[in-house]
């Protein structure tokens, strides 16, 4: 049984660790690396509060082994803001009251980020479908969807600014 | 919840995976996307002694076509089946259904091969592949392959024709022609849920009526089932024969009762959904 060496990048930072093969990615992130922004809600693959990006795609980190992330690029909620500045998506959640207790929020933001990066001009319906794997017990989703729709144009400007496109 | 301890090996080819499986013996299991197996291991319903990870074998993930078939590598993820232009063109029933599985996160990890090999009668793709008369390619030691038609593949609850030292490597699906209409209806109460009952229907249209029909059922017994009485009643029939044919859908089924639905309600759903699915596949007025 023993342990296995994994090396991966988490929020851009290279990490190496010895893990038991049965270690779930979410516990490796939370307990191994102290990145407690990623939440464990249901622990049964349903609620999406443990959502992180792996190579840019949303996944439920309670349903992945840390060894499956070996060699991959993982992004958690801690890696979304840049230089102390909230990401446009985070700002949109704040401005549109996209959260109440906040427990589902890291997972919502990561699911939405993975989605918006591939679908920069979403419709309301497509945003709702993109959130199928994320449950919220507080908001009734309306303001979450509103936040994500508000973030899309702001993110496009953000990406354009990063790429040095004038007026983007 | 944490799985019980196990050994973990990464296979870099199908051959390598087979030799690892042989080395660890019958208590070892293949790991593809892990989205059926890991939840079961967390609940300790499954306690494999070793996991052989085939999720990194790039050669198992592909979509190709020849004259009459689409060929899909077993390691192709639901997300990629859903978005494949080749599958969309040759077999839209399959790409459509892959998009109904779970949620985006599940589709980013789960694979078509894992879904078929798992043998869960509540799964969507096995039903659709049964209706499509798909074939499954199994690879054993030394690279020997055998091809099993879907009709002989699903043996029982979580039981398939895959031998202990075999790997499902490819799914072959006959393309649908221009005269084929199709439908998959999945009845569930909430977003993200599994099917309480599901129905796949493929209709060969002929002069505005039904030439022939293929109908398969999700979650109406220990395996996905073909609704043969319905198919017989629809062969060469007109549209107005659909309700009477659909009423035969429960024949030969053995649905369970659980917290979502009783067996009688499932039989009722099979009748209603078969009627709707055949109508939708036939299309028109
Ligand atoms: C929250 C959630 C919701 C879901 N909703 C649905 C749904 O609505 N509809 C649906 O159909 N499914 C659903 N699923 C299941 C999902 O489709 C799984 O991905 C799929 O059933 C298994 O694929 P996998 O690649 O994850 O397989 P794994 O979990 O890795 O493996 C499953 C089994 O198959 C074996 N296996 C895997 N690959 C092979 C192979 N190539 N050859 C031989 N044996 C193999 C493994 O040893 C294991 O026993 C859901 C899963 C989750 C977690
Ligand atoms: S904690 Fe992972 S899906 Fe709920
Ligand atoms: S804000 Fe409380 S669960 Fe979503």
């Amino acid at each position: 049984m023993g342990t296995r060496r994994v090396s991966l990048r988490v929020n851009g930072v290279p990490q190496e660790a010895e893990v038991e093969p049965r270690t779930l990615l979410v516990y490796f992130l939370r307990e191994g690396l102290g990145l407690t922004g990623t939440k464990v809600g249901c622990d049964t693959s349903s609620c999406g509060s443990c959502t992180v990006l792996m190579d840019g795609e949303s996944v439920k980190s309670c349903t992945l082994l840390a060894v499956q992330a070996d060699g991959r690029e993982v992004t958690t909620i801690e890696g979304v803001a840049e230089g102390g500045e909230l990401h446009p998506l985070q700002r949109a959640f704040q401005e549109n009251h996209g959260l109440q207790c906040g427990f589902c929020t890291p997972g919502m933001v990561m699911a939405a980020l993975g989605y918006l990066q591939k679908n920069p001009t979403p419709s309301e319906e497509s945003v709702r479908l993109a959130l199928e794997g994320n449950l919220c017990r507080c908001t009734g989703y309306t303001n979450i969807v509103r936040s994500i729709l508000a973030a899309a144009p702001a993110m496009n400007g953000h990406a354009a600014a990063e790429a040095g496109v004038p007026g983007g | 919840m944490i799985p019980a301890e196990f050994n973990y090996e990464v296979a870099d080819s199908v051959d390598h995976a087979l030799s690892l499986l042989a080395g660890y013996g019958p208590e070892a299991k293949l790991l593809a996307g892990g989205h059926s197996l890991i939840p079961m291991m967390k609940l300790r319903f499954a306690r494999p002694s070793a996991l052989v990870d085939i999720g990194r074998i790039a050669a198992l993930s592909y979509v190709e076509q020849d004259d009459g078939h689409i060929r899909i590598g077993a390691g192709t993820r639901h997300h990629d089946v859903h978005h494949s232009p080749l599958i969309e063109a040759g077999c839209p029933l399959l790409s459509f259904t892959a998009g109904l599985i779970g949620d985006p996160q599940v589709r980013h990890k789960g694979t078509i091969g894992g879904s078929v090999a798992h043998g869960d009668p509540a799964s969507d793709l096995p039903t659709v592949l049964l209706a499509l008369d798909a074939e499954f390619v199994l690879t054993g030691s030394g690279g020997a392959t055998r091809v099993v038609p879907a009709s002989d593949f699903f043996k029982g609850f979580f039981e398939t024709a895959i031998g202990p030292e075999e790997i499902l490597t490819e799914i072959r699906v006959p393309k649908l022609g221009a005269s084929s209409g199709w439908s998959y209806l999945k009845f569930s109460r909430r977003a993200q849920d599994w099917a309480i009952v599901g129905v796949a229907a493929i209709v060969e249209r002929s002069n505005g009526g039904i030439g022939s029909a293929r109908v398969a059922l999700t979650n109406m017994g220990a395996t996905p089932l073909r609704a043969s009485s319905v198919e017989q009643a629809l062969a060469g029939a007109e549209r107005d024969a659909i309700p009477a044919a659909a009423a035969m859908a429960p024949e030969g089924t053995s649905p369970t009762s659980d917290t979502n639905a009783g067996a009688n309600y499932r039989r009722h759903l099979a009748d209603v959904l078969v009627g709707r699915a055949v109508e939708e596949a036939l299309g028109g007025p």
Side-chain angles (χ1 to χ4, degrees):
Chain A
M1 313 266 155
T3 60
R4 267 188 89 93
R5 185 146 208 91
V6 292
S7 67
L8 63 161
R9 291 170 74 85
V10 179
N11 300 331
V13 180
Q15 299 284 354
E16 289 224 13
E18 289 284 335
V19 298
E20 271 191 274
R22 61 176 172 163
T23 308
L24 297 166
L25 178 60
V26 69
Y27 293 116
F28 173 72
L29 294 170
R30 287 177 54 86
E31 292 166 12
L33 302 182
L35 297 170
T36 52
T38 304
K39 304 299 180 212
V40 180
C42 65
D43 207 4
T44 54
S45 322
S46 304
C47 74
S49 65
C50 64
T51 301
V52 299
L53 301 185
M54 196 158 92
D55 294 341
E57 293 179 321
S58 59
V59 292
K60 291 177 173 175
S61 61
C62 75
T63 313
L64 279 176
L65 303 170
V67 289
Q68 287 176 289
D70 185 27
R72 313 275 187 194
E73 175 88 45
V74 172
T75 310
T76 69
I77 189 69
E78 287 90 346
V80 175
E82 284 165 26
E85 283 272 316
L86 288 186
H87 185 277
L89 180 58
Q90 292 173 304
R91 213 161 45 237
F93 268 74
Q94 190 184 50
E95 286 165 1
N96 295 278
H97 305 284
L99 59 148
Q100 289 180 23
C101 82
F103 193 85
C104 70
T105 313
M108 288 288 176
V109 169
M110 298 318 290
L113 186 62
Y115 180 72
L116 289 177
Q117 282 172 346
K118 302 226 160 77
N119 303 275
T121 53
S123 65
E124 175 177 342
E125 192 193 352
S126 70
V127 167
R128 288 185 180 273
L129 286 173
L131 297 182
E132 195 167 3
N134 294 75
L135 302 180
C136 175
R137 302 306 298 265
C138 301
T139 63
Y141 302 98
T142 301
N143 285 350
I144 294 178
V145 173
R146 192 172 287 154
S147 305
I148 295 168
L149 288 170
M155 270 176 69
N156 296 341
H158 185 74
E162 273 185 358
V165 179
Chain B
M1 297 174 296
I2 312 287
E5 290 188 322
F6 54 86
N7 288 293
Y8 174 80
E9 301 279 359
V10 176
D12 44 36
S13 67
V14 169
D15 246 13
H16 186 207
L18 284 164
S19 69
L20 287 167
L21 269 187
Y24 277 105
E27 298 300 308
K29 270 196 166 295
L30 297 170
L31 176 74
H35 270 48
S36 290
L37 189 50
I38 293 174
M40 290 182 73
M41 289 172 63
K42 287 172 71 176
L43 295 166
R44 311 243 172 152
F45 291 152
R47 302 178 73 121
S49 62
L51 288 186
V52 174
D53 190 347
I54 55 172
R56 293 174 189 267
I57 305 178
L60 274 180
S61 173
Y62 58 85
V63 178
E64 289 166 4
Q65 64 175 342
D66 53 41
D67 273 356
H69 291 82
I70 308 267
R71 293 183 287 108
I72 305 165
T76 310
R77 303 174 311 160
H78 303 320
H79 176 82
D80 299 321
V81 171
H82 180 49
H83 287 103
S84 159
L86 273 188
I87 302 178
E88 165 86 41
C91 192
L93 168 58
L94 186 56
S95 48
F96 170 81
T97 306
L100 298 181
I101 295 173
D103 54 51
Q105 291 94 319
V106 170
R107 297 194 291 271
H108 284 147
K109 287 308 296 177
T111 65
I112 186 170
S115 181
V116 169
H118 195 53
D120 182 342
S123 292
D124 301 301
L125 295 183
T127 304
V128 162
L129 292 167
L130 181 66
L132 284 164
D133 294 314
E135 293 176 325
F136 303 118
V137 181
L138 307 181
T139 302
S141 64
T145 60
R146 62 190 182 107
V147 179
V148 182
S151 54
D152 289 341
F153 183 83
F154 299 102
K155 299 290 190 194
F157 197 59
F158 294 110
E159 223 186 297
T160 70
I162 304 175
E165 287 177 23
E166 278 182 325
I167 296 181
L168 170 63
T169 45
E170 186 176 273
I171 292 97
R172 289 186 188 154
V173 190
K175 287 187 197 169
L176 293 179
S179 63
S180 314
W182 55 270
S183 170
Y184 185 71
L185 297 181
K186 174 174 177 172
F187 186 85
S188 54
R189 291 184 193 282
R190 297 167 306 191
Q192 192 202 82
D193 269 1
W194 295 72
I196 293 175
V197 172
V199 174
I202 302 161
V203 169
E204 301 307 322
R205 305 187 199 97
S206 146
N207 302 323
I210 299 167
S212 63
R214 291 177 276 169
V215 178
L217 309 173
T218 302
N219 221 0
M220 286 297 290
T223 63
L225 296 169
R226 281 287 278 267
S228 339
S229 316
V230 177
E231 294 181 355
Q232 278 156 26
L234 289 175
E238 297 303 319
R239 181 184 301 274
D240 56 12
I242 294 174
M248 298 176 193
E251 274 179 31
T253 65
S254 48
T256 54
S257 293
D258 57 28
T259 49
N260 288 315
N264 274 333
Y265 183 50
R266 283 203 160 87
R267 282 188 275 266
H268 169 72
L269 283 174
D271 170 354
V272 172
L273 295 174
V274 165
R276 289 183 191 165
V278 173
E279 281 281 358
E280 185 173 275
L282 179 58

